[in-house]
Amino acid sequence: MNAMQTPVIDAAALKPRIAASGVQVYYGTNHALKDVSVDILDRTTTAFIGPSGCGKSTFLRCLNRMNDTVASARVEGKILLDGQDIYDKRVDPVQLRARIGMVFQKPNPFPKSIYDNVAYGPRIHGLARTRADLDEIVETSLRRAALWNEVKDRLQAPGTGLSGGQQQRLCIARAVATGPEVLLMDEPCSALDPIATAQVEALIDELRERYSVVIVTHSMQQAARVSQKTAFFHLGNLVEYGDTQQIFTNPQDPRTESYITGRIG
Amino acid sequence: MSIALLSLIVLGLAALGYLLGRQRALAAAGGDMRRLHSLPSYYGASVFLFTAVPAFLAMVLWLLVQPVVVDRSTAAMITAADVPQGSSHALVMADVRRIAAGLDILVARGMDEDLLATMRADLSDIRGRLGGVGVAVAETVSPNVFEAAKSYRSLANTGRLAMAAAVLALAVGGLLYAAFRITPDLRARNIVESFIRVLLIGASTIAILTTLGIVLSLVFESWHFFRLYPAKDFFFSLTWNPKFGGGSSLGVWPLVWGTLYVSFVALVVAVPLGILAAIYLSEYASPTVRGLAKPALEILAGIPSIVYGLFALITVGPLLRDWLAMPLGLGDSSSSVATAGLVMGIMLIPYVSSLSDDIINAVPQAMRDGSFGLGATPSETVRQVVLPAALPGIVGAILLAASRAIGETMIVVMGAGAAAKLSMNPFEAMTTVTVKIVSQLTGDTEFASPETLVAFALGLTLFVFTLGLNVLALFIVRKYREQYE
């Protein structure tokens, strides 16, 4: 759980999953993200930190083309997922989002039963051939999100009736159920209390064994706890990107140091 | 003193009270506003309210009660001998009131009050004099009726004077009471607040009582009808054939069937089109398209239904007859259920689409994001997340459209005709409950025959149907609602 004590991942041993280079994002005339290049590694948790409005969530939403749903947004540059440009015309954004799952800041379970929430993705993508298959996917996903024991007796209860922390874990289970390769999390703990936060963080650490996880966070302690790589954004620029330990102990850029020590932000 | 003048005086007093209250409050605080519990204007407003509200309440109450009291005391003066053959006591009383009003005009034209008091019906030409001021009295006025009219008039005048005195006394009393109890500690804000509360309660009570009154009058008149006409025939007879000479058969089913059939066709047209249009507008359309299309669609709602009726009569009816009904051998009538239903459906599209669009827009964006984030397409998102969340509102919109359809008259008259028939063929002329209510009540038949009173029973039937529809919708919404908050 504590990344500061776990051995530093040997970056060279892991392939980059996502390679972004020269990404620019405009919202209308507003230049929100300026020339960002980052490699997201396989089986690694990457944290995006930075003050509000710095572009970290914008960049995260570029990775699964969620910015497509914003009419005024325009994205330039290259983002490769396993060597394939995700902004290529041949890529179906709908398929892409099934491979790159997303968890949002505010828990947003659908107004359906817990079971139907988790089964939503598998159903629309046809991942389960039989009812038993689907039951199994739901159970594994809920187990993986550390929610199974709490809800196994009331799978037909509405997902919106759960507590905030449970709802967020339900949303994680829902994202996991589609079998994504990358999991994007946009401040997943900002609406949660410390206990629920600890549960979600433990979960992130577990998920890292199978997926690469990208997490946007305002909490530097959280970034230090859960991530192996950290990217610091400031005013739409990627200021610094490197091993978490190095960013937090020996930042190269003065702006990073000021932010981490609490002088800007 | 006329009501308008009295109201003006009370309002003037109240305005005076406002200024006085304000000024007294400031004086009581020694000119320092901060020492007051409330802002000075609240003290003014409290005096205003204490002056105006009780006075106006008393006025309204007096105006409601006085005619009843006066009527009752003069009614006793009319004996059975004064009621001519074929007339009734109530008709004679109406004459009394009209003569009294005529006497008022005579006095206003300069006739002496004393002369009026000595005037006697058997000596002077009352009828001629009243005719001279534009009040026509059918027969010569009998002495008793004339005396009753005189006493009616004097009672009414006394009553009005007494009312003016009482109202003014209340206004002045309220003003003095409210103005002289002002101290810096008086909670004038809270007083004004409770007045406003009572005002709001009053407004909603009036709305509820009016509804209740309408329903009760329907029930009462229907009960009258069922005493004249067997309920068994009304509910179980399958023919509607009113004859104004008597011996009608007034079975409700042909009308109910027509109503339901036309409404059903209308909803079949309006609901899918309306909801699909709403989905396009709220989920797919760009802001520019939406900005143009939504108002354009709402213009449809502004077209009077008689214009739709013309459209049905002149365009749609012949079109359906020539291109569908005749080739298919289903009839040769240009007025048909299909015509009325189709046109009514077009009329209802904006009701369904505009309301549904607002409701769909109210579904939080987070729901859509969650669905898109899982790799759902827009239509999957709409079907599985947005529509279920918006369902209660959409059912409400459909219900509103349904009640419009059931209550619609003009389009039916012009599109579907007026023949009460029980038939499955959509290209045949039929009619609805509302159309028949109109046709039973227009014309100069006596208002006590089953042929006219049936209108109330039909109205009640309609009411029960829409009520049932509401209950059903509530049930559906409760059962299938997916709450997102």
Side-chain angles (χ1 to χ4, degrees):
Chain A
M1 205 174 148
N2 194 333
M4 299 298 263
Q5 284 152 19
T6 51
V8 176
I9 306 278
D10 181 7
L14 293 166
K15 309 179 302 221
R17 217 51 226 256
I18 299 179
S21 53
V23 176
Q24 318 266 359
V25 178
Y26 303 87
Y27 287 122
T29 53
N30 175 25
H31 196 176
L33 203 61
K34 297 156 190 161
D35 196 25
V36 171
S37 305
V38 167
D39 284 354
I40 308 288
L41 302 184
D42 199 10
R43 292 171 208 229
T44 307
T45 301
T46 308
F48 292 172
I49 59 171
S52 293
C54 67
K56 54 193 190 305
S57 288
T58 300
F59 184 62
L60 190 78
R61 291 170 68 94
C62 287
L63 298 181
N64 66 345
R65 293 187 60 174
M66 277 299 275
N67 279 332
D68 289 16
T69 61
V70 181
S72 62
R74 203 171 84 243
V75 180
E76 288 171 8
K78 232 180 193 136
I79 300 175
L80 305 177
L81 173 66
D82 295 335
Q84 162 85 316
D85 185 357
I86 64 169
Y87 278 90
D88 191 287
K89 280 200 177 56
R90 279 169 302 176
V91 170
D92 176 6
V94 169
Q95 286 294 314
L96 177 78
R97 289 186 204 127
R99 291 174 64 191
I100 305 183
M102 187 152 192
V103 176
F104 296 85
Q105 180 173 357
K106 209 176 140 217
N108 58 346
F110 299 133
K112 299 175 184 296
S113 70
I114 294 171
Y115 184 96
D116 287 339
N117 260 284
V118 183
Y120 185 83
R123 273 186 183 139
I124 57 177
H125 297 297
L127 300 181
R129 212 166 298 141
T130 61
R131 177 79 196 187
D133 274 359
L134 193 61
D135 288 349
E136 198 187 314
I137 293 177
V138 170
E139 182 176 342
T140 350
S141 307
L142 283 171
R143 277 191 195 284
R144 205 165 285 160
L147 192 59
W148 175 252
N149 287 329
E150 291 159 58
V151 301
K152 64 181 174 205
D153 299 325
R154 45 173 179 149
L155 288 175
Q156 294 310 320
T160 40
L162 297 173
S163 74
Q166 288 173 325
Q167 285 191 12
Q168 193 62 302
R169 278 180 285 151
L170 178 63
C171 292
I172 293 172
R174 190 174 71 181
V176 167
T178 37
E181 297 152 37
V182 179
L183 198 57
L184 308 178
M185 302 178 125
D186 191 355
E187 296 181 45
C189 301
S190 65
L192 304 186
D193 67 15
I195 296 166
T197 302
Q199 286 167 328
V200 171
E201 285 180 7
L203 190 60
I204 293 172
D205 235 33
E206 259 175 58
L207 295 172
R208 176 169 66 84
E209 288 164 17
R210 301 166 144 267
Y211 318 108
S212 57
V213 178
V214 184
I215 176 171
V216 165
T217 177
H218 269 132
S219 154
M220 277 167 290
Q221 289 84 346
Q222 185 174 54
R225 282 194 302 263
V226 299
S227 71
Q228 289 77 51
K229 298 288 254 180
T230 296
F232 171 62
F233 288 80
H234 187 49
L235 301 175
N237 296 301
L238 175 66
V239 175
E240 194 169 348
Y241 175 55
D243 288 338
T244 299
Q245 203 166 31
Q246 172 252 312
I247 296 274
F248 278 92
T249 55
N250 184 22
Q252 304 296 305
D253 194 289
R255 283 174 291 176
T256 316
E257 195 190 352
S258 310
Y259 182 69
I260 284 163
T261 52
R263 279 204 296 276
I264 59 168
Chain B
M1 196 182 287
S2 75
I3 307 292
L5 182 64
L6 191 59
S7 309
L8 262 180
I9 291 175
V10 171
L11 278 180
L13 274 173
L16 201 74
Y18 178 85
L19 294 175
L20 184 69
R22 230 186 97 90
Q23 189 255 326
R24 273 188 62 83
L26 276 172
D32 184 3
M33 225 166 75
R34 283 170 302 177
R35 285 189 48 223
L36 291 171
H37 170 271
S38 318
L39 289 173
S41 61
Y42 277 110
Y43 291 95
S46 75
V47 179
F48 182 96
L49 289 168
F50 267 104
T51 312
V53 174
F56 278 121
L57 276 182
M59 191 155 98
V60 169
L61 212 66
W62 198 294
L63 286 174
L64 288 178
V65 172
Q66 182 183 313
V68 180
V69 174
V70 173
D71 245 33
R72 195 154 294 164
S73 56
T74 42
M77 297 174 69
I78 308 286
T79 57
D82 298 314
V83 180
Q85 196 73 37
S87 182
S88 72
H89 196 270
L91 285 177
V92 176
M93 275 312 290
D95 264 353
V96 168
R97 280 193 290 274
R98 278 175 53 219
I99 294 168
L103 293 179
D104 269 344
I105 299 175
L106 279 177
V107 171
R109 294 259 174 102
M111 190 183 180
D112 197 29
E113 285 277 0
D114 298 334
L115 180 66
L116 183 67
T118 56
M119 221 157 94
R120 283 178 51 187
D122 43 353
L123 298 180
S124 43
D125 177 22
I126 305 294
R127 194 174 166 213
R129 281 183 180 242
L130 287 175
V133 293
V135 177
V137 180
E139 300 158 32
T140 42
V141 181
S142 76
N144 258 347
V145 169
F146 186 61
E147 288 309 314
K150 280 205 284 190
S151 119
Y152 183 97
R153 187 176 159 270
S154 74
L155 269 177
N157 281 346
T158 322
R160 205 163 307 151
L161 264 181
M163 176 185 81
V167 166
L168 284 180
L170 259 177
V172 172
L175 188 149
L176 292 178
Y177 167 71
F180 282 98
R181 71 167 180 169
I182 286 177
T183 59
D185 291 333
L186 181 75
R187 300 182 180 178
R189 270 176 90 185
N190 307 27
I191 293 172
V192 172
E193 192 60 39
S194 9
F195 264 102
I196 288 177
R197 207 181 97 123
V198 170
L199 179 81
L200 297 179
I201 292 176
S204 45
T205 315
I206 287 176
I208 293 167
L209 286 184
T210 315
T211 318
L212 202 71
I214 291 174
V215 173
L216 282 182
S217 86
L218 269 183
V219 170
F220 191 67
E221 296 290 347
S222 303
W223 183 66
H224 266 294
F225 168 69
F226 285 124
R227 281 199 313 183
L228 294 170
Y229 189 84
K232 185 172 69 79
D233 288 358
F234 180 72
F235 286 116
F236 297 108
S237 162
L238 295 183
T239 42
W240 173 267
N241 184 20
K243 290 190 195 114
F244 281 101
S248 328
S249 41
L250 301 170
V252 74
W253 283 109
L255 307 184
V256 168
W257 169 248
T259 304
L260 294 183
Y261 203 172
V262 172
S263 306
F264 174 75
V265 174
L267 289 180
V268 163
V269 174
V271 169
L273 281 177
I275 291 181
L276 293 180
I279 290 172
Y280 172 71
L281 283 179
S282 58
E283 300 290 312
Y284 288 84
S286 69
T288 343
V289 174
R290 188 185 146 84
L292 286 172
K294 203 175 177 201
L297 205 57
E298 277 165 1
I299 287 177
L300 276 181
I303 299 176
S305 68
I306 188 90
V307 176
Y308 282 104
L310 283 176
F311 181 56
L313 185 70
I314 291 168
T315 318
V316 180
L319 207 73
L320 285 180
R321 179 193 58 198
D322 297 344
W323 292 93
L324 278 173
M326 304 266 273
L328 293 173
L330 286 172
D332 53 4
S333 160
S334 74
S335 31
S336 66
V337 167
T339 308
L342 193 66
V343 174
M344 205 191 282
I346 292 167
M347 181 187 80
L348 294 179
I349 288 174
Y351 286 86
V352 178
S353 74
S354 191
L355 274 173
S356 305
D357 174 65
D358 291 343
I359 289 147
I360 290 173
N361 264 322
V363 174
Q365 184 60 32
M367 294 291 120
R368 298 185 183 90
D369 281 349
S371 177
F372 290 142
L374 290 169
T377 63
S379 82
E380 284 164 346
T381 306
V382 167
R383 261 184 293 132
Q384 305 200 12
V385 177
V386 176
L387 282 187
L391 183 78
I394 290 176
V395 171
I398 294 173
L399 202 79
L400 190 74
S403 11
R404 270 296 314 246
I406 290 177
E408 179 55 48
T409 316
M410 249 25 253
I411 295 180
V412 182
V413 175
M414 299 175 83
K421 241 180 268 172
L422 264 174
S423 161
M424 284 300 286
N425 182 356
F427 295 103
E428 230 176 288
M430 280 181 219
T431 197
T432 63
V433 174
T434 49
V435 172
K436 281 302 161 194
I437 291 180
V438 174
S439 63
Q440 291 312 102
L441 289 184
T442 43
D444 49 355
T445 32
E446 203 186 338
F447 210 73
S449 68
E451 283 76 21
T452 43
L453 283 175
V454 71
F456 291 99
L458 289 177
L460 193 64
T461 313
L462 215 54
F463 174 73
V464 169
F465 265 96
T466 38
L467 192 73
L469 216 61
N470 275 297
V471 172
L472 181 74
L474 266 181
F475 175 74
I476 292 174
V477 167
R478 288 253 172 85
K479 182 142 194 225
Y480 295 104
R481 113 177 293 172
E482 292 191 343
Q483 213 145 12
Y484 48 78
E485 212 57 72

